[in-house]
Amino acid sequence: MRKFFVVVLFLIVGILGACSSEKQFNFDEGILVVGMECNYAPFNWTETTRSETNHPIHGTNSYAEGYDVQIAKRLAEELGLTLIIKKIDWDGLVISLKTGIIDVIIAGMSPTAERKESISFTSDYYTVEHVVLVKSSGRFADALDIADFSGAWIIGQKDTVYDSLAFQLASRAQGMYQNPLEDVPTIVYGIKTETSDATIIELPVAISIVANNPELKYIQLITPFELNEEDKVLSIGVRRGDNVLRERINDFLNILSLEDRKSLMDTAIEQSLDLI
Amino acid sequence: MFLNYLFLDKYRLILEKFGVIILNGIGITLLLSLLGTIFGFMIALILSVLRIQKINKADKMIIRVLKKIGSGFAKIYVTVFRGTPMIVQAVIFYYFFNSIGIRWSPIQAGLFTVSVNTAAYLAEILRGAIVNLDKGQAEAAKSLGMSKFKMMIFIIFPQAIKNSMAPICNELVVNIKDTAVLTVISVADLYSATSSAAGYYYWYIEAMLLAAGIYLILTYSTSRLLVIIEKRLGVPKMSIPNNTEVLS
């Protein structure tokens, strides 16, 4: 009797699962819901008071600021939609997009092959360069290249390019690869408390962190990291079936010149400097 | 070394910037634990009724089938929701419901998760209380000509619930702490608020000590409050009889 019941249960869940098709973006609803961590300056971070440029975070009394926020605002304006920003942890971004909790991901995310198996990406909205973050008073403060990191404990953010680069650096330099952590602030804290020796992050993020934490410094290695082309850029994530939305976002990105991007990033970095 | 983390300045700064957010977080933590325990209790009542159904010889086929399904369902429910971590349940419920078009906010999904999870634990507690009741109660009810239904409502359940008050209240206190896991589905509870403060200032240990302190105040005051309520309701105190009582 019980076995029969369990089989029926699985059948129901299976049927329900098969029925669910992904949400299709509807321009007529007039809303664009954007997902981001709000914990990754200068791309997206949380502020506690309203300013002229930040945007409210849905469901909280906080505000989101940063490069991604400015891109989101301009995009929403271009598409004629009301912008809603939701704060979502990194691991929840893709599934939130797929299940319709958000419509796009603008969170400093790279269009990697693994992610493309679940979602689609627009053309790039920023190009990145990776640097190594260390403690200024630590053993590796004067490192110049890969070999100088011999014996270092290296860590990266979970489920990001940083994690693979940490592994890459640890293997090449004969350092020790540490298991990844949830978000960048936690990792930065690890560097400050010497739980980790080094982490790898993008240049704008490093600039912002070092400005807020003078006991840290970043190093641009002489030998570049080995990366796929897709890991060197950031794109906007959309659902697989939302081709119309993707095309319209690409149109918007085409008119966003390199000068615009640099100027927006410079402003974002500056705003993130007097956080503390 | 530990004293380094007690410099009041940092705490003052954290509270200045994140005070409002932390207050909101406290509200949400308390709301989710209180409502979650109450709803969980209501579901648990139904589950325990289903669980104790026994098939009588006199039952017709359809009643037997229903009783078997009900009892089996209750057993599976309790096993599954006590046997999986609440954090896993929260993620599954939140994303699954949204994927089939039920647009639940994190708080709605969070409340659902806490209720469903609590119900599993309370169902077992209630079942234990019902089974351990004095058999004389049921016999007396039957000899008074009460129907099974009336017996359940007026005799069995009130006593079972009264005897379960302590574990039920304990469950509420436990929920206050356990709602912290709902942060993974973006619920803006107390842990999420102090975590934001931690990430902002990079004062992780201070922020987490603050969180620990606030949780401690919440759980302790709730326990004391519940003890007072239990005394008012006249819940029997469990005590080990000393020698003189037994002799007389």
Side-chain angles (χ1 to χ4, degrees):
Chain A
M1 194 65 220
R2 196 182 301 186
K3 279 191 197 157
F4 168 73
F5 197 84
V6 169
V7 168
V8 169
L9 199 64
F10 273 116
L11 271 176
I12 294 175
V13 171
I15 292 173
L16 275 179
C19 277
S20 64
S21 48
E22 278 185 1
K23 180 176 185 255
Q24 193 86 356
F25 184 72
N26 187 358
F27 282 89
D28 295 331
E29 280 177 24
I31 312 172
L32 182 71
V33 185
V34 178
M36 52 182 78
E37 278 181 289
C38 300
N39 210 5
Y40 186 55
F43 287 96
N44 50 80
W45 71 87
T46 308
E47 295 192 332
T48 53
T49 49
R50 193 53 155 129
S51 77
E52 272 176 22
T53 48
N54 64 21
H55 192 92
I57 299 179
H58 183 77
T60 71
N61 321 32
S62 318
Y63 303 88
E65 182 60 278
Y67 183 78
D68 290 332
V69 175
Q70 299 313 318
I71 297 277
K73 286 172 69 169
R74 279 163 180 71
L75 175 64
E77 202 186 312
E78 176 71 20
L79 297 180
L81 302 166
T82 314
L83 176 65
I84 291 183
I85 293 183
K86 286 191 183 173
K87 177 176 179 166
I88 297 177
D89 64 301
W90 181 257
D91 284 322
L93 281 170
V94 169
I95 178 110
S96 295
L97 178 66
K98 290 180 65 143
T99 56
I101 294 168
I102 55 178
D103 296 314
V104 293
I105 297 173
I106 309 181
M109 187 180 271
S110 297
T112 65
E114 297 89 39
R115 290 175 191 142
K116 282 191 186 150
E117 283 176 28
S118 307
I119 61 177
S120 293
F121 286 93
T122 63
S123 43
D124 55 274
Y125 74 100
Y126 199 72
T127 333
V128 292
E129 183 195 335
H130 293 96
V131 300
V132 183
L133 187 74
V134 298
K135 200 167 185 192
S136 309
S137 60
R139 278 198 299 148
F140 303 93
D142 299 319
L144 293 170
D145 205 358
I146 296 177
D148 300 326
F149 283 98
S150 168
W153 288 11
I154 310 173
I155 192 171
Q157 186 185 6
K158 187 161 170 282
D159 299 327
T160 65
V161 175
Y162 300 153
D163 186 30
S164 1
L165 289 180
F167 186 77
Q168 197 185 104
L169 182 59
S171 322
R172 287 163 147 195
Q174 312 251 324
M176 206 185 82
Y177 166 78
Q178 287 183 315
N179 282 329
L181 285 171
E182 290 298 305
D183 52 52
V184 171
T186 311
I187 289 175
V188 168
Y189 186 67
I191 308 266
K192 284 158 68 109
T193 55
E194 297 178 43
T195 322
S196 303
D197 288 315
T199 186
I200 297 146
I201 44 174
E202 284 152 13
L203 182 56
V205 182
I207 295 175
S208 179
I209 291 175
V210 167
N212 281 318
N213 300 278
E215 73 265 45
L216 302 177
K217 63 180 278 201
Y218 68 86
I219 303 168
Q220 277 161 297
L221 298 182
I222 299 171
T223 318
F225 286 105
E226 258 178 39
L227 283 168
N228 299 325
E229 283 314 306
E230 63 206 16
D231 297 329
K232 298 182 192 166
V233 299
L234 306 175
S235 297
I236 295 176
V238 296
R239 285 181 286 267
R240 277 291 192 75
D242 279 338
N243 292 315
V244 178
L245 178 61
R246 188 160 145 258
E247 287 315 306
R248 306 250 333 239
I249 299 180
N250 282 338
D251 291 338
F252 160 75
L253 290 175
N254 278 335
I255 51 176
L256 191 69
S257 69
L258 272 172
E259 288 86 37
D260 288 335
R261 297 176 191 203
K262 184 166 188 320
S263 147
L264 281 176
M265 182 52 85
D266 287 340
T267 315
I269 292 179
E270 220 186 277
Q271 283 172 323
S272 73
L273 292 190
D274 35 44
L275 276 185
I276 299 180
Chain B
M1 255 326 273
F2 176 73
L3 289 173
N4 282 346
Y5 297 109
L6 294 179
F7 287 135
L8 293 175
D9 249 9
K10 292 186 177 166
Y11 294 95
R12 189 177 53 84
L13 278 166
I14 292 178
L15 287 174
E16 260 174 30
K17 257 232 181 236
F18 287 89
V20 177
I21 298 177
I22 290 178
L23 271 173
N24 279 339
I26 294 176
I28 294 200
T29 295
L30 288 175
L31 181 77
L32 285 176
S33 10
L34 187 62
L35 285 184
T37 309
I38 291 175
F39 291 152
F41 178 69
M42 297 188 324
I43 300 173
L45 284 174
I46 302 172
L47 283 173
S48 51
V49 166
L50 287 175
R51 192 76 164 75
I52 60 178
Q53 294 300 321
K54 276 195 286 263
I55 296 182
N56 293 332
K57 293 237 164 91
D59 286 336
K60 296 187 196 136
M61 191 60 200
I62 179 77
I63 304 282
R64 282 181 193 236
V65 167
L66 285 176
K67 276 191 179 176
K68 241 335 171 75
I69 291 182
S71 161
F73 170 76
K75 277 193 204 140
I76 295 177
Y77 180 102
V78 168
T79 310
V80 166
F81 290 111
R82 281 199 329 171
T84 49
M86 193 159 91
I87 195 172
V88 170
Q89 295 165 13
V91 173
I92 293 178
F93 287 138
Y94 179 54
Y95 291 115
F96 180 69
F97 286 135
N98 268 290
S99 76
I100 56 174
I102 303 175
R103 301 252 146 260
W104 267 4
S105 72
I107 289 191
Q108 288 169 313
L111 182 57
F112 182 81
T113 306
V114 178
S115 308
V116 164
N117 189 62
T118 305
Y121 288 93
L122 292 183
E124 274 303 281
I125 291 171
L126 280 175
R127 188 181 70 87
I130 292 172
V131 162
N132 284 328
L133 273 181
D134 188 1
K135 271 221 164 132
Q137 298 292 315
E139 285 170 10
K142 264 187 246 173
S143 67
L144 282 173
M146 271 192 178
S147 68
K148 191 140 185 246
F149 183 66
K150 275 200 178 147
M151 175 181 78
M152 278 282 153
I153 299 193
F154 292 109
I155 310 290
I156 307 287
F157 268 112
Q159 292 190 43
I161 293 173
K162 216 178 192 188
N163 288 339
S164 311
M165 272 317 274
I168 293 174
C169 294
N170 188 53
E171 194 62 31
L172 171 59
V173 172
V174 164
N175 273 339
I176 291 177
K177 294 178 295 163
D178 282 353
T179 48
V181 305
L182 296 176
T183 315
V184 304
I185 55 169
S186 342
V187 171
D189 73 324
L190 171 58
Y191 175 73
S192 158
T194 47
S195 186
S196 298
Y200 187 87
Y201 284 114
Y202 296 107
W203 296 332
Y204 277 84
I205 296 186
E206 286 83 354
M208 287 300 110
L209 281 175
L210 179 65
I214 299 179
Y215 272 112
L216 193 54
I217 293 173
L218 291 178
T219 52
Y220 188 70
S221 25
T222 307
S223 329
R224 298 305 309 165
L225 193 65
L226 291 171
V227 165
I228 294 175
I229 293 178
E230 274 175 38
K231 282 206 177 108
R232 282 282 178 83
L233 289 177
V235 171
K237 240 178 126 179
M238 311 265 247
S239 57
I240 302 169
N242 57 37
N243 282 333
T244 52
E245 281 181 31
V246 171
L247 279 176
S248 66

